[in-house]
Amino acid sequence: MQRWTIYLEGGPRRVNHAAVTVGERIYSFGGYCTGEDYETTRPMDVHVLDTVSLRWTLLPLPHSDPNRSCVPYQRYGHSAVSYQDCAYIWGGRNDKDGACNILYQFDTGSQTWSQPGVIGRIPGARDGHSACVIDSKMYIFGGYEEEIDRFSDDIYTLDFRTFTWSYVKTKGGAARWRDFHTATGIDHKMCIFGGRSDQGGNVFTNHEIYCNKIQIFDTQTSTWCEPLTTGIQPIGRRSHSAFVYKGSLYIFGGYNGLHDLHFRDIFRFDPVRNHWSMVKVKGQGPCARRRQCCCLIGSRVFLFGGTSPARQREGSGMGNDNDLDLMDHSDLHVLDFSPTLKTLCQLAVLEYKLDTSCLPRDLRWELTVMTTNNSISRPLNSNG
């Protein structure tokens, strides 16, 4: 039974960032925080989470790097994917420099940036697009193209073997123009869910549409399809998170601007049966939010950052943003799909305030380590 097992404070306070996993580490790139200076161009920050010790590290900024042009500027709405031992950053924007279409490579071994030479048809600069890796290619879909002022429904690929960009000619009814959706690779298919569309099609008219249908792109046949689904479908949303666990697609959180609602729910989509279901998770999980990151390592999902209304409606799975300021988060939550007996015992000790004085010293230490480890400011308990 899946359960929220860990809650930490004191991590990077970031919104609209992007993150990848390499080994047992999570690399978080860029994003923003309310109140920071975005009129000055500076190098993108990189925060690293060791998922064993649960400690964050901010890597030094390359201020004296003679190849400063190889370092991306701080941005939001970009994408990050991992291939082999490198992370690849593409797209995104900030308020001073605008949108970008340069590919950047971050080598997690040497912790250095580079700008790979690319050929082919490079997609236009944008933010709010999606990216996923299938086989040896990165697939880019959608987003908002700043220079031509329109939403996109195009697909581009970058072949990591040759660093060649290609425009993909598709068949079938393409997913609607949109931004801040998710694209998730399952086998040879790319699953698109959510995002913000507009009644004006690819033209922004400020009349938003939030679709809750899933569209699937078959990369082997270059064909779009919209499967007929069953079950309980999530409400349409943008700026949510998506990840794959044991062949199923999971959706967490997000925001619907038409209803002014933030979400904290989790839904599962079975691509074999085309069936949606709501996932019930034990433990006190994160509050309703959007623009967070979720990264899967093994059977654990690490969720961090994002933003939500400063006040949440008690007893609700959603938060209303009406006339309320937003609050940026610096927390970390862990969703464990297969918690160990040791973890469950630790949680029981914390939740029910059990007396462990009668246990052997070594076991007592293991059961109480979550409360004495300074890297964990407050484990989950009944007070959340």
Side-chain angles (χ1 to χ4, degrees):
M1 173 63 72
Q2 54 273 356
R3 177 163 185 155
W4 294 105
T5 56
I6 293 174
Y7 164 45
L8 299 173
E9 275 290 356
R13 192 178 301 277
R14 282 289 173 259
V15 178
N16 245 346
H17 43 310
V20 302
T21 61
V22 178
E24 293 183 328
R25 287 183 169 85
I26 294 174
Y27 295 81
S28 178
F29 300 92
Y32 68 87
C33 179
T34 302
E36 289 186 349
D37 174 22
Y38 291 99
E39 295 302 320
T40 302
T41 301
R42 64 183 188 277
M44 175 179 284
D45 56 25
V46 182
H47 292 85
V48 184
L49 174 68
D50 185 322
T51 60
V52 177
S53 65
L54 296 177
R55 293 183 183 274
W56 284 101
T57 301
L58 174 62
L59 299 185
L61 294 176
H63 290 298
S64 59
D65 190 340
N67 298 316
R68 180 76 171 270
S69 61
C70 292
V71 182
Y73 59 76
Q74 184 76 345
R75 65 191 64 193
Y76 53 87
H78 51 294
S79 60
V81 301
S82 61
Y83 181 72
Q84 296 179 345
D85 290 331
C86 292
Y88 292 88
I89 308 300
W90 191 84
R93 70 182 309 277
N94 68 19
D95 297 338
K96 180 178 183 295
D97 301 281
C100 179
N101 69 341
I102 299 173
L103 179 71
Y104 293 94
Q105 180 190 70
F106 181 79
D107 188 315
T108 61
S110 62
Q111 297 186 351
T112 57
W113 287 101
S114 62
Q115 187 177 314
V118 297
I119 59 176
R121 185 173 171 180
I122 302 174
R126 67 192 68 194
D127 73 305
H129 58 286
S130 60
C132 66
V133 175
I134 299 176
D135 295 327
S136 59
K137 294 182 178 180
M138 176 174 69
Y139 286 79
I140 297 289
F141 171 74
Y144 192 79
E145 298 183 72
E146 185 174 81
E147 290 186 2
I148 57 178
D149 196 27
R150 76 173 183 101
F151 291 101
S152 173
D153 66 349
D154 295 333
I155 295 178
Y156 287 84
T157 64
L158 175 73
D159 192 327
F160 285 119
R161 297 167 298 184
T162 61
F163 285 97
T164 300
W165 282 105
S166 300
Y167 171 77
V168 181
K169 295 182 179 179
T170 66
K171 295 172 286 187
R176 190 177 180 87
W177 308 272
R178 67 187 69 194
D179 65 357
F180 294 105
H181 51 286
T182 53
T184 313
I186 303 179
D187 296 326
H188 60 274
K189 296 180 179 179
M190 177 173 65
C191 300
I192 302 295
F193 178 78
R196 175 184 60 177
S197 301
D198 196 282
Q199 293 181 9
N202 63 354
V203 180
F204 181 72
T205 67
N206 205 30
H207 293 86
E208 298 178 346
I209 297 174
Y210 291 86
C211 179
N212 70 338
K213 297 179 180 178
I214 192 165
Q215 277 92 13
I216 298 177
F217 180 74
D218 189 320
T219 63
Q220 294 182 340
T221 63
S222 296
T223 302
W224 282 104
C225 75
E226 184 181 303
L228 180 64
T229 63
T230 59
I232 303 174
Q233 293 183 235
I235 297 174
R237 62 196 66 195
R238 64 177 168 93
S239 304
H240 52 286
S241 296
F243 59 90
V244 176
Y245 179 69
K246 290 189 175 181
S248 291
L249 172 68
Y250 289 82
I251 301 294
F252 168 83
Y255 173 73
N256 184 300
L258 298 180
H259 301 291
D260 201 12
L261 291 174
H262 287 77
F263 302 98
R264 56 170 295 191
D265 47 17
I266 299 179
F267 285 85
R268 173 179 178 265
F269 177 72
D270 182 342
V272 176
R273 298 188 298 136
N274 291 327
H275 182 78
W276 283 104
S277 57
M278 180 178 283
V279 180
K280 295 182 179 180
V281 182
K282 292 185 177 181
Q284 183 74 31
C287 64
R289 66 184 65 195
R290 56 175 153 161
R291 298 174 177 172
Q292 67 283 333
C293 280
C294 282
C295 292
L296 176 73
I297 296 181
S299 63
R300 297 194 296 171
V301 179
F302 295 82
L303 184 154
F304 53 96
T307 190
S308 62
R311 296 191 301 275
Q312 301 280 333
R313 293 186 302 179
E314 294 184 5
S316 171
M318 307 174 214
N320 195 308
D321 192 25
N322 188 26
D323 296 327
L324 294 179
D325 292 334
L326 292 175
M327 174 178 60
D328 300 340
H329 296 289
S330 60
D331 54 0
L332 169 72
H333 297 263
V334 177
L335 169 62
D336 198 332
F337 280 93
S338 184
T340 64
L341 179 60
K342 175 182 173 181
T343 298
L344 294 175
C345 289
Q346 289 174 326
L347 292 170
V349 168
L350 293 169
E351 182 172 354
Y352 299 107
K353 299 180 175 61
L354 300 179
D355 182 9
T356 61
S357 60
C358 62
L359 297 175
R361 182 175 181 179
D362 291 345
L363 181 57
R364 186 166 69 247
W365 166 256
E366 289 186 2
L367 289 175
T368 58
V369 68
M370 293 178 70
T371 60
T372 58
N373 188 337
N374 290 331
S375 70
I376 301 180
S377 59
R378 184 166 64 92
L380 288 178
N381 54 44
S382 59
N383 295 324

